[in-house]
Amino acid sequence: MLTLEKAPISEHRTQALLREMVRSAVAEMLTRHEHPLTERESADFLSATRATRDRVGRAQRSGDWSLATTLAGATAEATGLASDNQSDPIVARQVLAMLRRVLDVSLKVEADFEDPLYAGRELLTDVGLAPQRSALQPPMTLTKAIETACVEAPPDVEKKIFAVGKLALAFFGDVPVSTITFDKAFEFIHFMWMMPKNWGRAHGRNRFNKVGVDLDPISEQRAANEADATLVAEILADESLSRPDRRQLLVEQLTPRLTDGYVLVQRDMLNRIFRAALGSAATGRDLDDVDRVVPSHKQIRSRMHAWRKTAQTPCGLPTRISQPKQRRMWSMEHARGLLLSPIYRGTASKAQRWRKATSSKRIVQRDLPPEMSLVVM
């Protein structure tokens, strides 16, 4: 008895491939339609298209799934589909079926001179594209996605998106966002996890020097890794040091890296960039793990356990440290603001204790939580 096998890749990745196949094919039809061709050129095109369509039909009947890689391999690579998955029957079947539909529309457009947007409207709608010229633009690149995400974000979030975008451009290059796979996104998050805490700040620009230097994040991380490796080797080679002394020296002298919590914040900024290019269907909050493009917080925390194990020597000494932001102690103004707040001076509502008391209604409720802050202070 035949059983239905599980897809080797996420449905989103397959749909991205089919969408790009349809988009590029209809765009090519539109280009041919708007440029005059001779009858000979049109006849040759019709003959070649019919031959390709017959070839696809024979491959579907015989199960020759390698033809999918031959005809759509370049598009698959552009959408980030690994070569191992291109000839998988589950993926190749969908590719050949879509190719056959695309070729049918192409023959109809070329033979009957129909409008490609009208003849291919069903194809475009099936893959989530509107039958409009604006929907036929190439996939959004990383630079464009960063710009779009920055425009849609508040000013304080925009700075964080720009910083993550700078790291992403250094790591991926200015590639179409649809080509970035889940595994590559995880590698990038690990790259951010290993970034020095003060990366990008040694540019040398000030009010006297407006030029400065352009820093490469990859070079900054590599330099920090080399310096830390040298430091660890020197400390481990010093046999006069005890284990606690070695640990203390490492904690004091290793290059501080980004904290785990801030890496999760940067993950959210990366998700905004991807959402600007791919939409919420690939970056939504309620997606299954197999359908994600950007790892979830839970997935990152699980992977961080393995990362921490690799960030130490065989004897258990750390080779990576993070340095949380230093929090200032409470000043007299902070204490004064707390003690003069409605929690202590009285409130107008038991349920909403932050509301200021009025001349006609003042409730002073004595319970444990507000008094505990005085004990802590």
Side-chain angles (χ1 to χ4, degrees), residues 173-236:
D174 192 14
V175 298
V177 179
S178 59
T179 64
I180 302 176
T181 62
F182 178 83
D183 293 335
K184 291 296 292 183
F186 240 132
E187 292 177 11
F188 173 65
I189 291 174
H190 180 264
F191 171 76
M192 291 194 296
W193 189 70
M194 289 297 296
M195 284 301 297
K197 179 182 178 182
N198 296 324
W199 71 271
R201 298 185 182 180
H203 47 71
R205 297 186 184 91
N206 50 43
R207 60 177 179 172
F208 304 107
N209 183 9
K210 302 298 183 181
V211 180
V213 295
D214 292 329
L215 299 175
D216 178 23
I218 296 179
S219 299
E220 288 189 75
Q221 185 181 119
R222 186 182 300 115
N225 292 342
E226 293 174 355
D228 286 355
T230 303
L231 176 65
V232 171
E234 292 176 353
I235 292 178
L236 293 180

Side-chain angles (χ1 to χ4, degrees), residues 287-302:
L287 292 175
D288 294 334
D289 289 345
V290 295
D291 296 329
R292 291 185 178 277
V293 179
V294 180
S296 64
H297 284 212
K298 182 179 179 181
Q299 290 172 320
I300 295 174
R301 289 193 184 97
S302 299

Side-chain angles (χ1 to χ4, degrees), residues 311-327:
Q312 60 183 5
T313 63
C315 58
L317 294 175
T319 59
R320 175 196 179 275
I321 62 167
S322 60
Q323 192 176 72
K325 185 177 180 180
Q326 297 293 330
R327 301 293 181 181

Side-chain angles (χ1 to χ4, degrees), residues 151-168:
V151 170
E152 298 172 352
D156 55 336
V157 179
E158 180 181 354
K159 296 179 181 178
K160 297 178 182 179
I161 294 176
F162 183 78
V164 174
K166 185 176 181 180
L167 292 177

Side-chain angles (χ1 to χ4, degrees), residues 25 29 32 38-39 84-85 87 126 129 162 192 216 268 279 308 335 339:
M29 296 177 204
R32 289 181 57 84
T38 63
E39 293 185 4
D84 297 339
N85 296 325
S87 58
D126 288 348
L129 295 175
F162 183 78
M192 291 194 296
D216 178 23
D268 294 339
R308 293 192 193 98
L339 297 177

